[in-house]
Amino acid sequence: MTGRHGNKVVGSVAEALAPLTDGMTILCGGFGLSGNPEALIRGVIERGVRDLTLVSNNAGNLGKGLAQWLRAGILRKVICSYIGNNDELHTRMASGEVAVEITPQGTLAERMRAAGAGIPAFYTPTGVGTVVEHGKETKEIDGKRYLLERALPGDVALVRAHTSDRFGNLRFWRTARNFNPVMASAAKLSIVECDHLVNNGAIDPDDVHCAGIYVHRIVHVPEHENAFEYRTVRKRP
Amino acid sequence: MTGRHGNKVVGSVAEALAPLTDGMTILCGGFGLSGNPEALIRGVIERGVRDLTLVSNNAGNLGKGLAQWLRAGILRKVICSYIGNNDELHTRMASGEVAVEITPQGTLAERMRAAGAGIPAFYTPTGVGTVVEHGKETKEIDGKRYLLERALPGDVALVRAHTSDRFGNLRFWRTARNFNPVMASAAKLSIVECDHLVNNGAIDPDDVHCAGIYVHRIVHVPEHENAFEYRTVRKRP
Amino acid sequence: MTAIWSTEDMARRAAREIPAGAIVNLGIGIPTQVADYLPEGHAWLHSENGLLGTGPFPYEGDEDPNLINAGKQTVTVLPGGSTFDSASSFAMIRGGHVDIAILGAMQVSVRGDLANWAVPGGKVMGIGGAMDLAAGSRHVIAMMQHLTKKQEHKLVATCDYPLTAARVVTLVITDLGVFAPTGEAFRVVELAPGVTRERAAAATGAPLV
Amino acid sequence: MTAIWSTEDMARRAAREIPAGAIVNLGIGIPTQVADYLPEGHAWLHSENGLLGTGPFPYEGDEDPNLINAGKQTVTVLPGGSTFDSASSFAMIRGGHVDIAILGAMQVSVRGDLANWAVPGGKVMGIGGAMDLAAGSRHVIAMMQHLTKKQEHKLVATCDYPLTAARVVTLVITDLGVFAPTGEAFRVVELAPGVTRERAAAATGAPLV
């Protein structure tokens, strides 16, 4: 056995993604186009792996983000909570090219939290009496009915952080946090793309959002598009 | 229905604890003597409530902290993970004055996390094949056996924070965090004793350890004993 | 039959259901407009993508693509606000810490069943946070037009659209008024000005009481 | 029969089992001493009360009652360390993110069963984090004297003390050497200098191979 927490910083996206293979389950952080690991998303296409199962809340939109994976034809299955106007996904779901499993957003997050926390399954009220119940065990607890949901682990997590130290302690910016930390915890191999790379000790121990125990590779990517999905503003008074 | 998130700051410990009644289940933060809500612990005795069920990792030690409740005879039951040299608890457990339920520490934490997160029950590998399994459902998932553990909610949580704003957004200091945030999430009424009280906006949104959604009353207590349990040091070189 | 309450009127009426100091989650669509009618500091808005204390849209030039609400619109964060990850956010929702969810609806039944995520045979938009919000929030208020564009009933005896959650809606606010599911009927809480009980009854696919 | 390895020797030997870059949790008692034999920066120490990157004891005068390890001793935190709540800490443990737990033991069986929290008929000290660490860590190393003070076996065919976890121990380090449970026996990995195989076999309540 070798420790997995030695030198984690790699020099390029390609090096970070070298362990990927065909057929893997990839957890990809982001909500809409916010908090997306943009360089890693592009890098997976260049890496040339295929038949991937993608777990992501939205799987891209407006042709951006993970919509690139759909266009590249490298996905076999998508597990997400929301499709909305993601036409790349609608088209491929309709044609049967990509299987789509739609999961309530909170259940999606909790299934990955459970995977990271060693909880193989949990009961939840979400989805009781709906199509989400189909094929699942139910149980009455204190007079109320619940569904049994299973942990959702990944082979690889692609994570976008605002700041990482060299051990992989992460900080996120505002709502770019979303699924990123929980996905980091749920994968065998977690790869972080950070805007800022700092030395150990630069982040106060009390200010760490996601501990480096959940991070295995770090690549520093200073430039990002950070696309707007809906730019809503008010006039200055 | 009235909102529970208006003005939360109260002027005294007595006012903060006014809603307590006999027979309640009280979740009390702290690991050993670290991160204890010291003033609230004293205040509960002065409040004069009895027959309480206490959920706490240690239930005091060295005669300090929650050991005061044991001496005051206000406890009917203790749910904890560790007794150690807590003689106040050993004595009363032996005499039958206080019922003691010992729970693995991680299961204790997760049962309260579940209560706060709307998860009525979850499977865990901890305790399989041990006395902890007695009376519990087990299930084989992917070839491994797990125990079903139930959520552990409280009527009241007593929480110690380093800093609170007026909405109850909390920050903790170092390992004083321990059970405090998870207990805040698991109780119907969460009462915070903070060393520092600041205005809303003084804590950056990204720096909140426990969101004010889990806090209902706040009392500012600037002075604390912060007792040492084992003071271990090394010589300066 | 023309709408009597505009969506602005509906949003203003919904805002009156929110007590001071409540934690509120506003769904996409009409519910989002409810924020416009809440006095400053009256309630705390929760966005399920990981924000509590959601503020108004930013001033032009201040918008941040990484500070958005659940509808992916750029927003601001108020003093006392906080950010958190998705698992923590839905722990708040599922755990009953959100006092009121105001959600758009396609159908609501007399039992309080809510259907708001899929039209039978239509394009599936996904579930998003709707099922968690409907199942977990202490109170669920549904907002919708009283009839479909084809003049079909949306307040019904039994939903025939796929459910979001069963027995959760406590109040329905439509262009015709405010209605409460009782189990066997809809109780008229308030009618929009000029709407007669007869007109509301004709537009409702279940008894009005 | 006197101890051949001191507890310091045992701790030094246990430290050799820790690869660079491992996440390690050291139990109370002898395992705590293992930290003294780890080169600086070699591994990351996890304290289940909510600390990763636990450093050495503080210099006199620097001790902080709110910066402690799971044994409630005052400690320090290294650069790259982090603090977190108890639920998050045990999520790390239960989720298999701690590479090695080194735990004190009362009995270990040939199957790798671990008993370390209660003596039958004795004072119950509690479970603490032991069951979570034993069940959740990727590798569990047990450290103990080979025999009780009454010269009873502690490496046994079947534990008769209450179990902490079943089939988890991968290595046992005692004053007589290093032993690996195989399912039916203990495999001798290493013997302390001067300890014969016969002596180790006589002190072991199960076959040695």
Side-chain angles (χ1 to χ4, degrees):
Chain A
M1 198 202 67
T2 58
R4 302 189 302 159
H5 296 275
N7 185 21
K8 304 182 186 183
V9 179
V10 297
S12 69
V13 166
E15 189 182 346
L17 294 172
L20 268 64
T21 56
D22 290 351
M24 277 185 161
T25 294
I26 314 276
L27 317 178
C28 188
F31 179 91
L33 300 176
S34 168
N36 280 222
E38 298 175 1
L40 292 171
I41 288 172
R42 284 192 303 272
V44 167
I45 297 173
E46 287 160 26
R47 176 73 184 74
V49 287
R50 312 185 57 82
D51 291 324
L52 303 177
T53 294
L54 166 66
V55 182
S56 153
N57 190 59
N58 306 82
N61 201 9
L62 310 177
K64 290 176 186 287
L66 293 160
Q68 300 167 71
W69 290 14
L70 289 158
R71 282 200 303 276
I74 62 175
L75 291 179
R76 180 181 53 180
K77 183 176 178 182
V78 171
I79 302 174
C80 66
S81 91
Y82 194 71
I83 304 175
N85 299 315
N86 184 346
D87 290 327
E88 271 88 357
L89 188 49
H90 278 296
T91 313
R92 284 160 186 83
M93 181 167 66
S95 73
E97 180 191 329
V98 174
V100 178
E101 186 179 314
I102 295 175
T103 303
Q105 192 174 156
T107 299
L108 187 66
E110 189 67 14
R111 290 178 65 195
M112 289 187 279
R113 192 266 173 191
I119 303 292
F122 59 90
Y123 287 98
T124 177
T126 302
V128 169
T130 78
V131 296
V132 170
E133 190 175 319
H134 291 168
K136 295 193 178 121
E137 285 180 45
T138 63
K139 187 182 179 71
E140 195 172 302
I141 301 175
D142 295 337
K144 209 180 147 185
R145 209 153 62 91
Y146 297 92
L147 300 188
L148 185 66
E149 291 279 1
R150 298 284 297 268
L152 178 59
D155 296 304
V156 171
L158 304 182
V159 171
R160 166 80 178 279
H162 180 269
T163 304
S164 175
D165 68 18
R166 302 183 79 84
F167 179 58
N169 290 306
L170 307 181
R171 279 184 60 84
F172 304 92
W173 175 255
R174 302 299 188 241
T175 54
R177 194 179 321 189
N178 55 66
F179 284 86
N180 282 296
V182 68
M183 286 177 166
S185 79
K188 291 194 201 86
L189 176 75
S190 296
I191 306 173
V192 169
E193 166 179 349
C194 64
D195 298 32
H196 303 277
L197 179 66
V198 298
N199 285 328
N200 290 347
I203 306 176
D204 185 275
D206 290 345
D207 289 339
V208 171
H209 291 156
C210 176
I213 195 171
Y214 296 124
V215 171
H216 308 105
R217 290 180 173 221
I218 303 161
V219 58
H220 181 204
V221 179
E223 298 292 334
H224 287 92
E225 179 188 2
N226 292 329
F228 287 94
E229 202 157 329
Y230 301 106
R231 190 192 296 251
T232 45
V233 297
R234 58 183 162 148
K235 289 260 182 238
R236 284 184 189 276
Chain B
M1 198 201 69
T2 57
R4 304 188 302 158
H5 297 275
N7 186 21
K8 304 181 186 183
V9 179
V10 297
S12 70
V13 165
E15 189 182 345
L17 294 172
L20 268 64
T21 56
D22 290 352
M24 277 184 161
T25 294
I26 314 277
L27 318 178
C28 187
F31 179 89
L33 300 176
S34 169
N36 279 221
E38 297 176 1
L40 292 172
I41 289 172
R42 283 193 304 273
V44 168
I45 298 173
E46 286 159 28
R47 177 72 185 75
V49 287
R50 311 184 59 80
D51 292 324
L52 303 176
T53 293
L54 166 66
V55 182
S56 152
N57 190 59
N58 305 83
N61 200 8
L62 310 176
K64 290 175 186 289
L66 293 161
Q68 301 167 72
W69 289 13
L70 289 159
R71 283 201 302 276
I74 62 174
L75 291 179
R76 180 180 57 180
K77 184 175 178 183
V78 171
I79 302 175
C80 66
S81 93
Y82 194 71
I83 305 177
N85 299 314
N86 183 346
D87 289 328
E88 271 88 357
L89 188 49
H90 277 298
T91 313
R92 284 161 186 84
M93 180 166 67
S95 73
E97 181 190 328
V98 175
V100 178
E101 186 179 315
I102 295 174
T103 302
Q105 192 174 156
T107 298
L108 187 66
E110 189 68 13
R111 289 178 65 196
M112 290 186 280
R113 192 265 172 194
I119 303 293
F122 59 90
Y123 288 99
T124 176
T126 302
V128 169
T130 78
V131 295
V132 170
E133 189 174 319
H134 292 169
K136 295 192 178 122
E137 286 180 45
T138 63
K139 186 181 179 74
E140 195 173 302
I141 301 175
D142 294 337
K144 210 180 148 186
R145 207 153 62 91
Y146 297 92
L147 300 188
L148 184 65
E149 292 279 3
R150 298 283 297 267
L152 178 58
D155 295 305
V156 172
L158 304 181
V159 170
R160 166 81 178 279
H162 180 270
T163 303
S164 175
D165 68 18
R166 302 185 78 85
F167 180 59
N169 289 308
L170 307 181
R171 279 184 59 86
F172 304 92
W173 175 255
R174 301 301 187 240
T175 54
R177 195 180 320 189
N178 56 65
F179 283 85
N180 283 297
V182 68
M183 286 178 167
S185 79
K188 292 193 201 87
L189 176 74
S190 296
I191 306 173
V192 168
E193 166 180 350
C194 64
D195 298 32
H196 304 278
L197 179 65
V198 298
N199 286 327
N200 291 347
I203 306 175
D204 186 274
D206 290 346
D207 288 340
V208 171
H209 290 157
C210 175
I213 195 171
Y214 296 123
V215 171
H216 308 105
R217 292 181 170 222
I218 304 160
V219 57
H220 181 204
V221 179
E223 297 292 334
H224 287 92
E225 180 188 358
N226 291 330
F228 286 95
E229 201 157 331
Y230 301 106
R231 191 192 295 254
T232 45
V233 298
R234 58 184 160 144
K235 289 260 183 240
R236 284 184 188 276
Chain C
M1 194 183 290
T2 55
I4 296 300
W5 270 346
S6 66
T7 55
E8 289 75 14
D9 294 331
M10 290 164 61
R12 190 181 294 112
R13 180 61 186 80
R16 282 176 43 206
E17 295 296 323
I18 300 176
I23 309 279
V24 182
N25 187 296
L26 302 176
I28 299 171
I30 308 178
T32 302
Q33 295 183 45
V34 175
D36 298 339
Y37 302 98
L38 291 172
E40 201 179 314
H42 181 79
W44 293 87
L45 298 184
H46 179 272
S47 295
E48 64 264 31
N49 54 315
L51 178 60
L52 181 60
T54 310
F57 294 150
Y59 291 126
E60 284 180 15
D62 288 351
E63 60 272 28
D64 177 347
N66 287 317
L67 180 49
I68 61 174
N69 65 16
K72 286 109 179 176
Q73 297 171 311
T74 48
V75 293
T76 51
V77 53
L78 297 174
S82 58
T83 52
F84 30 83
D85 66 70
S86 300
S88 302
S89 185
F90 282 92
M92 294 174 184
I93 293 168
R94 206 189 308 101
H97 305 282
V98 171
D99 296 313
I100 304 174
I102 304 184
L103 303 174
M106 296 170 177
Q107 289 184 334
V108 176
S109 82
V110 291
R111 300 195 319 167
D113 293 354
L114 172 69
N116 80 347
W117 72 280
V119 179
K123 190 158 109 172
V124 174
M125 300 297 276
I127 297 167
M131 286 191 183
D132 301 283
L133 282 161
S137 305
R138 292 180 169 224
H139 294 269
V140 176
I141 298 175
M143 295 182 78
M144 59 182 183
Q145 302 301 317
H146 208 99
L147 292 169
T148 68
K149 285 175 188 167
K150 295 183 183 167
Q151 304 295 308
E152 296 156 332
H153 293 149
K154 299 174 75 175
L155 286 85
V156 293
T158 306
C159 297
D160 50 18
Y161 283 24
L163 288 194
T164 306
R167 299 174 185 270
V168 296
V169 175
T170 50
L171 210 63
V172 188
I173 298 175
T174 75
D175 48 340
L176 299 189
V178 182
F179 307 88
T182 66
E184 293 89 34
F186 288 99
R187 182 170 56 80
V188 177
V189 177
E190 181 180 340
L191 291 173
V195 174
T196 61
R197 210 176 168 89
E198 291 66 35
R199 177 170 167 190
T204 301
L208 272 196
V209 293
Chain D
M1 193 185 289
T2 53
I4 296 300
W5 270 347
S6 65
T7 56
E8 288 76 14
D9 294 331
M10 289 164 62
R12 190 182 294 109
R13 180 60 185 79
R16 282 176 43 207
E17 295 296 323
I18 300 176
I23 308 279
V24 183
N25 186 297
L26 302 175
I28 300 172
I30 307 177
T32 302
Q33 295 183 45
V34 174
D36 299 339
Y37 302 96
L38 292 172
E40 200 179 313
H42 182 79
W44 293 88
L45 299 184
H46 179 272
S47 294
E48 65 264 31
N49 53 315
L51 179 61
L52 182 61
T54 310
F57 294 149
Y59 291 126
E60 284 179 15
D62 287 350
E63 60 272 28
D64 177 346
N66 288 317
L67 180 49
I68 62 175
N69 65 16
K72 286 111 181 174
Q73 298 170 311
T74 47
V75 294
T76 51
V77 54
L78 297 174
S82 58
T83 53
F84 30 82
D85 67 71
S86 299
S88 301
S89 185
F90 282 91
M92 293 173 184
I93 293 169
R94 206 188 308 101
H97 305 281
V98 171
D99 296 313
I100 304 175
I102 304 185
L103 302 174
M106 295 170 177
Q107 290 185 334
V108 176
S109 82
V110 291
R111 298 196 322 167
D113 293 352
L114 172 69
N116 79 346
W117 72 278
V119 180
K123 190 159 108 171
V124 174
M125 300 297 276
I127 297 167
M131 286 191 183
D132 301 284
L133 282 161
S137 305
R138 292 179 169 225
H139 295 269
V140 176
I141 297 175
M143 294 183 77
M144 59 181 182
Q145 301 302 316
H146 208 99
L147 293 169
T148 68
K149 285 173 187 165
K150 295 180 180 169
Q151 304 296 305
E152 296 155 332
H153 292 147
K154 299 175 73 176
L155 287 86
V156 294
T158 307
C159 297
D160 50 19
Y161 282 25
L163 288 194
T164 305
R167 300 174 186 269
V168 296
V169 175
T170 50
L171 210 64
V172 189
I173 299 176
T174 75
D175 49 338
L176 299 189
V178 182
F179 308 88
T182 66
E184 293 89 34
F186 288 98
R187 183 170 56 80
V188 177
V189 176
E190 182 180 340
L191 292 172
V195 174
T196 61
R197 210 175 168 89
E198 291 66 34
R199 178 171 167 188
T204 301
L208 274 195
V209 294

